[in-house]
Amino acid sequence: MRRIGVFTSGGDAPGMNAAIRAVVRKGIYEGCEVWGIRRGYAGLIEGDLVPLELGSVADTIHRGGTILLTARSQEFLAEEGRKEAFASLHRAGIEGLIGLGGEGTYKGLLAFHRETGFPVIGVPATIDNDIGGTDYSIGFDTAVNNVIDAINKVRDTATSHERTFVVEVMGRNTGYIALTAGLAGGAESILVPEFPVDLDAVCQRLLRGIRRGKRHSIIVVAEGVGHAPSIAQEIKQRTGLETKAIILGHIQRGGTPTVFDRVLASVMGARAVELLLAGEKKAAVGLVGGEIMHCDLEEALATVKKIDEAVYKLAEILAI
């Protein structure tokens, strides 16, 4: 294999640029040419491919977002679109493909491989941390640190005005961001899709805190549970406490990646190149038990990640 392609797809995640940089420089070190595919699967269909040199990724390891841009492609969901993508790769002489993204990216890679036999490697890059085959995905650590920074600021205002704030965070259908940020941020309650939501218990906890002299509270809710404004209104009606809602939104996905995400992205990107050169046909890179590993793409997609219930209960205990 002498020419490989790399692209980012779906939502951007801090650390994607560090991974791209690693793919390019590791690939060139191993004697390969590396081509970047702009705008994910959409760019693959359109043939928006550019050669990447050592200098192409200079001064990028610290930058958030993705220098290759990203987009969602309805065309790639159809077999005809995947045929056009294969033709683009064939014309460019690309022999292996590395995709950085989450579940949608992985599903696209697997479908593409099944139909064409083309070698593909998935690298987990999503702030939601909901992709199988890895303990952590690129971007998650930065996202939760962004949330913590916001919670710290909100708490200042909550304290000053003696208010309750409901902070809605991302996570799609999982509560990894909510639980991690809620625990680290000292939230009084954390609402995640994985466990039943009991607003009565939340309200009782708030009122119990008031009785012991507490004058402000932070409640973190994952977007998969519901919308912060409606939850805040319900809490206000049940408790009589002044309750405000904040939706952090896409601010969680931006900013300079943390050291953890830069290192994780670098080693995962390099391992993806190694897997292609070793002859792997459809693998997913992951960090498991502190080691960089890989598994079959199908296994990664079939694995349902579960939040640690003990950690969830610990967060409740510490918030008493």
Side-chain angles (χ1 to χ4, degrees):
M1 187 171 292
R2 285 293 173 262
R3 185 173 291 180
I4 60 180
V6 59
F7 71 96
T8 55
S9 177
D12 61 306
M16 280 182 162
N17 287 325
I20 295 168
R21 173 179 178 270
V23 169
V24 171
R25 294 192 169 179
K26 175 67 170 178
I28 291 174
Y29 175 82
E30 297 292 350
C32 298
E33 292 182 20
V34 182
W35 285 61
I37 299 150
R38 291 159 49 88
R39 299 183 177 86
Y41 289 120
L44 190 53
I45 292 174
E46 297 163 5
D48 190 1
L49 283 63
V50 293
L52 298 175
E53 306 294 341
L54 293 176
S56 303
V57 292
D59 199 33
T60 61
I61 193 170
H62 63 288
R63 291 172 55 186
T66 164
I67 59 172
L68 291 178
L69 309 179
T70 183
R72 304 186 190 279
S73 173
Q74 291 298 316
E75 290 82 0
F76 193 82
L77 297 177
E79 184 178 356
E80 186 59 35
R82 292 191 289 272
K83 287 182 178 179
E84 291 181 26
F86 180 75
S88 293
L89 291 173
H90 181 71
R91 286 193 297 269
I94 293 175
E95 304 166 273
L97 191 60
I98 296 172
L100 315 178
E103 182 181 26
T105 303
Y106 276 28
K107 286 181 176 178
L109 288 173
L110 184 58
F112 188 64
H113 171 79
R114 284 173 172 171
E115 292 171 3
T116 65
F118 203 84
V120 296
I121 306 294
V123 177
T126 166
I127 68 167
D128 302 326
N129 199 39
D130 60 350
I131 195 72
T134 186
D135 295 337
Y136 294 101
S137 56
I138 297 167
F140 172 71
D141 187 67
T142 303
V144 293
N145 275 281
N146 287 340
V147 174
I148 285 295
D149 183 58
I151 288 176
N152 290 341
K153 291 179 171 65
V154 169
R155 191 177 290 281
D156 290 341
T157 293
T159 303
S160 299
H161 292 269
E162 299 181 309
R163 290 173 179 166
T164 295
F165 276 83
V166 178
V167 181
E168 181 181 322
V169 301
M170 287 180 163
R172 230 171 41 133
N173 300 316
T174 63
Y176 285 100
I177 293 176
L179 177 57
T180 305
L183 175 60
E188 279 67 32
S189 291
I190 304 169
L191 309 183
V192 297
E194 289 83 353
F195 300 107
V197 174
D198 186 347
L199 279 185
D200 283 334
V202 171
C203 293
Q204 290 170 13
R205 188 177 295 115
L206 289 173
L207 294 173
R208 187 166 59 245
I210 292 294
R211 288 192 294 269
R212 69 174 176 82
K214 193 174 182 60
R215 290 292 178 262
H216 75 277
S217 294
I218 301 293
I219 297 170
V220 177
V221 54
E223 64 180 346
V225 169
H227 294 298
S230 60
I231 293 173
Q233 182 62 27
E234 184 66 26
I235 290 174
K236 183 177 181 179
Q237 289 177 353
R238 296 190 188 192
T239 65
L241 299 174
E242 187 175 3
T243 307
K244 301 293 185 180
I246 294 178
I247 302 174
L248 294 184
H250 289 77
I251 193 172
Q252 296 160 81
R253 295 216 305 234
T256 300
T258 60
V259 169
F260 181 87
D261 274 329
R262 296 187 203 191
V263 174
L264 182 66
S266 296
V267 295
M268 282 186 168
R271 179 59 61 89
V273 173
E274 293 171 355
L275 291 173
L276 276 181
L277 298 182
E280 290 288 340
K281 302 300 183 184
K282 56 179 178 76
V285 183
L287 177 70
V288 180
E291 294 186 29
I292 297 298
M293 315 277 282
H294 72 276
C295 65
D296 191 278
L297 261 178
E298 294 184 56
E299 180 183 342
L301 284 168
T303 301
V304 179
K305 292 182 71 173
K306 295 182 179 180
I307 279 182
D308 190 334
E309 186 172 0
V311 175
Y312 181 74
K313 290 182 177 179
L314 175 63
E316 288 188 335
I317 293 171
L318 298 182
I320 291 176

